[in-house]
Amino acid sequence: MKDFYEILGVPRDASDEVIKKAYRKLAKKYHPDKNPGNKKAEEKFKEVTTAYDVLKDPHKRSSYNLSGQYSGNKNSFKDTYADMPFGFDSFAGFRDDFFENLFNATNIKGFPKLILDIKKEVFLTLEEIDTGIEKDVFYEKRILCPDCRGILPVMNNCSNCDGEGVKLVATYISQKFDIGLYDSKEIIITGKGNFVPGAKIGNLILIIRVKDHPNFAKKGYDLITSKTITFPEAALGTIIELENLRKQKLNVKIKEGIQTGTQLVLHGQGLAKPNDHGARDRGDIVLIIAVETPTNLIKEEKELYLKLKEIYNNKIPITS
Ligand SMILES: [Zn+2]
C-alpha cells in the first residue's frame, strides 16, 4: 500500500488545513462525475479519499503514523469493491450505512438489491453545532455503469459492474450544517443517492449525531455542566472559572453557604438558536454545584474540624 502522505503529496507534519487543501484539489481533479468511464481517475479518487479519510482524523492519523498502516479498515476501496457481493466479512471495518444499503435484500442472482436512498450518519461536535460548519461527507453511491451504460442484465458481460449495469463508487459532498441541529435530525439532499435502473436517482439522507462533549451535556439549547468545590469554598463563597463553548472565560460567583446540588443559570451562554433576524439568541449554561466532603485529613485539618465541630455544638441549640 502506498504511503498516505505521498498519495496526498503532503509532508508528514502537514497541518489539517494543508491536508484538507491537498485532498480537495486532488478529489476535484479525479472525481468520478468529472471523469466518466476513466478507471485510472476512479482508482486515484478512491486512493486519495482513503488517504484523506485516515489523515483527517487525529486518532486514525496517529495510529497510522505509529504503525505505517491503518488497521481500522484493512481493505482498500479496491478490495472492498472486488469482494462486495459475497465477501460480507470484509465489511467489518465499514460503517453500517454502507452495509444497510446493500445488505437488506438480494435479487435472484444473489446481488444486493438496489435501494434508492442512502442513509449516512454525520457526527458533529457541540462547537460545530454552535457555529454551524461546512463539512465534507464521504459516502458510497451507485451510479450508472460508465462502461456498459446499464444494458439489460441478461446480455450484460460488463466486467466493470459484473453485469449489474450500476457501479458502487466512493464520493463526497461538501455540506453546510447550520446552527441549531440536534441528535437524530435528518437532512435530505435530493438527487445524491443511488442510481437505480428504470427508477430514478435517490436521495442522500444525513442523520445528525451529536458527539459527546468533555464538559457539557446538551439539553435543547442549554448546556449542562457541573463543578466540584471544597467545603471551605462552599461555606465562605468563592469565584470559579468556567469556559463556554466559544472558549470565553466566565467568572461565576459562588455565594457563601451554597448547598450541594444547587443549579446556577448563566443566561445566554448556551447554544446558538437559529432565528430569522440575524441576532443570535442563545440558550443557557446550567451549572450544578457539588460540594466535596474532605477525606484524608492531615493533622492540622483534623484539629480545625474538631474545633469547628465544637463550635457547631455550642452554637446550635438542641432544644425544641
Ligand atoms: Zn457495466
Side-chain angles (χ1 to χ4, degrees):
M1 194 191 249
K2 268 196 244 169
D3 182 76
F4 287 160
Y5 293 96
E6 269 173 40
I7 289 169
L8 293 180
V10 295
R12 291 191 81 79
D13 59 353
S15 67
D16 291 351
E17 201 51 42
V18 167
I19 288 171
K20 188 174 171 181
K21 265 192 188 154
Y23 169 69
R24 286 200 156 194
K25 203 175 152 195
L26 292 167
K28 277 200 182 108
K29 186 173 167 190
Y30 295 118
H31 200 287
D33 290 354
K34 278 196 183 159
N35 302 277
N38 182 342
K39 275 192 195 133
K40 268 199 176 151
E42 193 185 308
E43 285 309 316
K44 200 79 188 144
F45 180 76
K46 286 171 193 168
E47 205 174 76
V48 298
T49 302
T50 307
Y52 181 60
D53 193 46
V54 171
L55 297 188
K56 78 182 159 74
D57 182 303
H59 297 294
K60 289 184 191 173
R61 184 178 175 181
S62 63
S63 121
Y64 175 74
N65 288 347
L66 284 173
S67 63
Q69 58 184 18
Y70 178 58
S71 57
N73 176 8
K74 283 192 185 107
N75 305 302
S76 69
F77 275 111
K78 190 168 183 281
D79 294 340
T80 308
Y81 290 143
D83 289 350
M84 186 187 55
F86 307 109
F88 283 119
D89 283 351
S90 67
F91 283 80
F94 260 81
R95 290 283 321 168
D96 49 355
D97 50 335
F98 188 78
F99 223 95
E100 209 175 87
N101 268 343
L102 305 170
F103 191 71
N104 286 344
T106 53
N107 66 13
I108 312 157
K109 280 167 80 184
F111 285 96
K113 192 170 126 187
L114 298 182
I115 293 165
L116 278 166
D117 292 343
I118 298 169
K119 287 189 173 178
K120 174 80 190 169
E121 287 179 317
V122 177
F123 293 84
L124 299 178
T125 63
L126 284 181
E127 284 86 351
E128 289 169 342
I129 283 174
D130 189 50
T131 55
I133 191 171
E134 192 174 325
K135 254 187 189 260
D136 295 338
V137 179
F138 298 89
Y139 66 106
E140 294 83 20
K141 70 174 178 183
R142 296 221 164 206
I143 59 166
L144 180 66
C145 174
D147 281 12
C148 64
R149 310 297 295 173
I151 56 163
L152 278 177
V154 195
M155 333 256 304
N156 197 330
N157 296 317
C158 177
S159 60
N160 192 9
C161 64
D162 288 336
E164 276 195 287
V166 290
K167 202 173 151 49
L168 193 65
V169 294
T171 188
Y172 82 103
I173 53 157
S174 282
Q175 175 67 19
K176 190 168 185 321
F177 296 96
D178 289 325
I179 59 169
L181 291 174
Y182 48 89
D183 204 75
S184 302
K185 162 86 179 167
E186 294 190 354
I187 299 170
I188 297 167
I189 299 158
T190 49
K192 295 288 181 185
N194 287 319
F195 170 82
V196 172
K200 52 175 184 172
I201 295 175
N203 301 327
L204 173 64
I205 301 167
L206 302 179
I207 304 163
I208 300 300
R209 298 286 177 225
V210 181
K211 282 190 198 170
D212 286 341
H213 191 277
N215 299 331
F216 294 111
K218 179 180 183 299
K219 194 178 174 193
Y221 296 109
D222 291 344
L223 297 170
I224 317 296
T225 189
S226 67
K227 280 270 181 191
T228 302
I229 58 174
T230 64
F231 244 41
E233 283 172 333
L236 303 171
T238 185
I239 288 175
I240 56 179
E241 203 176 68
L242 199 69
E243 206 174 61
N244 66 17
L245 275 185
R246 287 154 286 152
K247 303 266 178 236
Q248 292 165 333
K249 297 239 190 299
L250 308 172
N251 288 320
V252 185
K253 192 173 170 4
I254 305 295
K255 281 189 190 154
E256 58 179 61
I258 195 163
Q259 301 296 310
T260 196
T262 301
Q263 299 191 1
L264 302 173
V265 179
L266 312 178
H267 292 287
Q269 295 294 342
L271 285 167
K273 295 181 187 177
N275 64 31
D276 304 331
H277 314 297
R280 212 145 260 198
D281 229 5
R282 290 184 174 277
D284 304 326
I285 285 180
V286 178
L287 170 61
I288 303 167
I289 297 296
V291 180
E292 190 182 33
T293 306
T295 53
N296 302 321
L297 299 177
I298 59 170
K299 187 164 168 279
E300 198 185 353
E301 285 174 314
K302 204 158 200 170
E303 282 166 10
L304 286 169
Y305 275 106
L306 281 168
K307 178 82 179 149
L308 275 175
K309 192 177 169 189
E310 203 182 301
I311 296 170
Y312 287 156
N313 289 345
N314 294 334
K315 198 167 92 176
I316 304 163
I318 317 173
T319 54
S320 95

